[in-house]
Amino acid sequence: MTRTLYLHVGSPKSGTTYLQRILDANRDVLAAAGVLVVGSAQVDRVQAALQVREDPRWEKLPEARRDMWGTLVAEIRAWQGDSAILSYELFCAASAEQSKRALADLDGIDVHVVVTARDLAGAVPSAWQEQLKFGTTKPLEEWSPAGRNREWGWRTLDPSSVAKRWGASLPADHVHVVTVPAQPTTDSELWERFAAACGVTDVAVDLAVPRVNESLGVVQAELLRRVNGHLRAPLEGSRERAVWLRDTLAHGVLAAGCSSAEPIGLTDAQLTEATQRAESAITAIEKAGYAVHGDLADLRPTQRDARMPGEVSEADLLLAAQEAIVELLVLVRERTREGRGRARATATPGARGLGRRIVERATAPYVGRRERDLRARIEALEAEVARERALHLRVASLQNVVAELLLPADLRDNELTEKALRTYRRSIR
């Protein structure tokens, strides 16, 4: 059984996608070193977090997917290596009571909680962007992480808040705060800090994983906000918007289409709030005595000399909209052209790659879920066929017994009798 679990619970927008890509890409290498990467797919971890947090969306999952937390816990307990790493950033939204229950399910395992965190000024526009991807129309100038934001508020962005809830029942040295380097000296510095927190510094992992740009520039963000004001059915509900607004338009078109996103600024009030929150977090982490990997000064905001979304010109928005329409045309062409080979041969490399990437990222989770459902149905049908065959064999055997017992000896081998029995057997199959 796993002796040590490193439970990476967030925070969001702190390099978590990059870290998870490395973990998934090096699953076999880590397993050979005795380290399990928990969850065969990201959707498993997402649904486990929904369950832990008792999110309303959890109740709408198919019955077979409602205990993914239990499935992951069973996977951890069944692992014969020394340690395991479970990483998903929105575990951080769990309440203190929900966190306590989740840790209780891991009783007997030495659990270390890992919290990644970035400078809190940069976290503000990043969190606002995530809400844009699900349809909000509120301008950044009017938005704040304060309040009741379940997933994108200070309670998830502030590492001291996350560490306090998840680490309440753990020794201080079992709570690890990993800071995103404000000025990294190497491209792999964040991974090196995370690896130290998870005890895998000696594992030679391949860090050459593709980095997917999911951040929007100030122009693209404001364009998306305005698009949100025109959304209508069927683009309603978190699932529809996750596929089409977030994965397709935001990530696949707007983010992928801008090679260098222009940074997004902050209001003076937002910068002040982020600065106060950072200082409070640093003090709380130091007082608690958590294990820190990196420098807590990385949490302090730096002055952001950048435009606010409200300062974007109409000309900028028009140009971004035109570019987005062209990229969407490429996507529609890629999806509707007859013959995948023909599309591959005639499309430009960049357009072809963009269209394929958008389609694959937008539809892969649903194709995978459909495939699993179909496989389960096939297995059930095969089992039913096997049961029917066994029943028919039993009936045939009983018929033979009846024939032996009831038919006179001189009629058992009678040709007419055999013919009648064969006809009867065919009729009941």
Side-chain angles (χ1 to χ4, degrees):
M1 185 180 81
T2 303
R3 290 189 298 179
T4 306
L5 170 66
Y6 296 94
L7 180 57
H8 178 208
V9 298
S11 297
K13 312 310 295 182
S14 61
T16 53
T17 300
Y18 162 72
L19 296 173
Q20 289 155 7
R21 283 180 175 272
I22 292 176
L23 289 172
D24 285 329
N26 290 274
R27 183 181 296 273
D28 293 341
V29 173
L30 289 163
V35 182
L36 170 69
V37 177
V38 183
S40 59
Q42 180 73 341
V43 67
D44 298 340
R45 300 183 281 262
V46 171
Q47 292 174 348
L50 291 176
Q51 181 181 355
V52 167
R53 290 157 37 203
E54 300 174 293
D55 190 289
R57 290 169 289 185
W58 166 56
E59 298 177 351
K60 298 178 182 178
L61 294 176
E63 184 67 31
R65 305 290 297 180
R66 288 185 195 166
D67 190 26
M68 284 310 303
W69 173 249
T71 299
L72 296 188
V73 170
E75 181 184 352
I76 293 166
R77 292 192 180 279
W79 177 243
Q80 297 303 306
D82 289 334
S83 64
I85 301 173
L86 172 53
S87 173
Y88 180 58
E89 59 271 21
L90 290 181
F91 278 115
C92 68
S95 67
E97 184 59 34
Q98 290 165 345
S99 305
K100 181 180 178 181
R101 287 200 298 267
L103 292 175
D105 291 335
L106 297 163
D107 185 50
I109 299 174
D110 186 28
V111 179
H112 290 242
V113 166
V114 181
V115 182
T116 47
R118 63 175 295 181
D119 87 271
L120 295 188
V124 173
S126 293
W128 173 69
Q129 279 192 42
E130 292 305 314
Q131 297 214 324
L132 284 181
K133 296 169 187 177
F134 284 89
T136 188
T137 58
K138 179 171 284 190
L140 175 60
E141 292 85 345
E142 301 173 11
W143 189 83
S144 169
R148 296 182 175 274
N149 295 308
R150 290 173 58 86
E151 297 177 355
W152 305 106
W154 284 127
R155 66 186 300 273
T156 60
L157 300 175
D158 180 344
S160 65
S161 171
V162 179
K164 182 178 180 180
R165 280 179 276 121
W166 275 98
S169 60
L170 300 176
D173 63 355
H174 280 47
V175 180
H176 304 259
V177 177
V178 178
T179 63
V180 177
Q183 296 181 323
T185 56
T186 66
D187 290 340
S188 60
E189 190 170 356
L190 174 58
W191 168 257
E192 291 163 6
R193 294 179 179 185
F194 181 79
C198 296
V200 293
T201 53
D202 295 334
V203 182
V205 299
D206 182 3
L207 300 178
V209 297
R211 295 207 180 198
V212 178
N213 177 28
E214 295 181 347
S215 295
L216 304 177
V218 64
V219 176
Q220 290 75 25
E222 177 61 13
L223 175 60
L224 180 59
R225 188 189 72 81
R226 296 198 185 188
V227 168
N228 289 345
H230 297 275
L231 292 178
R232 60 182 184 275
L235 298 176
E236 297 175 334
S238 60
R239 179 178 298 179
E240 285 292 318
R241 292 187 176 184
V243 174
W244 302 112
L245 192 61
R246 182 192 65 188
D247 295 347
T248 304
L249 180 58
H251 294 172
V253 173
L254 296 177
C258 56
S259 56
S260 57
E262 181 184 345
I264 302 176
L266 291 176
T267 66
D268 291 341
Q270 289 167 335
L271 182 61
T272 297
E273 182 182 19
T275 301
Q276 293 172 343
R277 199 79 193 199
E279 294 302 331
S280 175
I282 291 171
T283 299
I285 292 169
E286 290 176 336
K287 184 178 179 180
Y290 300 141
V292 176
H293 304 267
D295 190 339
L296 289 178
D298 291 328
L299 302 179
R300 291 192 173 102
T302 55
Q303 184 64 43
R304 300 174 65 86
D305 185 16
R307 283 192 294 174
M308 296 295 297
E311 297 172 336
V312 172
S313 69
E314 297 296 320
D316 287 338
L317 290 171
L318 177 60
L319 178 59
Q322 291 169 338
E323 292 173 346
I325 291 171
V326 171
E327 301 295 358
L328 283 170
L329 286 175
V330 171
L331 170 60
V332 173
R333 173 184 181 274
E334 191 75 9
R335 295 188 66 178
T336 57
R337 266 185 88 86
E338 293 183 1
R340 189 178 179 88
R342 183 182 176 191
R344 219 183 261 121
T346 58
T348 62
R352 183 174 67 253
L354 172 63
R356 186 167 60 253
R357 183 169 64 250
I358 295 170
V359 173
E360 290 173 350
R361 291 185 59 193
T363 61
Y366 304 94
V367 172
R369 185 183 306 119
R370 180 61 175 164
E371 180 184 2
R372 286 192 296 271
D373 291 344
L374 288 174
R375 287 184 182 277
R377 180 60 179 155
I378 289 170
E379 290 175 1
L381 289 173
E382 287 177 343
E384 182 65 25
V385 169
R387 286 193 295 269
E388 290 292 333
R389 285 175 177 170
L391 178 60
H392 290 159
L393 288 174
R394 290 178 62 191
V395 170
S397 297
L398 287 172
Q399 289 169 349
N400 290 335
V401 171
V402 170
E404 290 289 332
L405 292 175
L406 300 182
L407 289 177
D410 58 339
L411 291 180
R412 292 175 191 167
D413 298 324
N414 183 282
E415 183 178 347
L416 291 175
T417 303
E418 285 297 320
K419 183 177 180 180
L421 285 173
R422 284 196 300 271
T423 301
Y424 172 69
R425 287 168 182 162
R426 283 196 298 270
S427 71
I428 64 172
R429 286 177 185 172

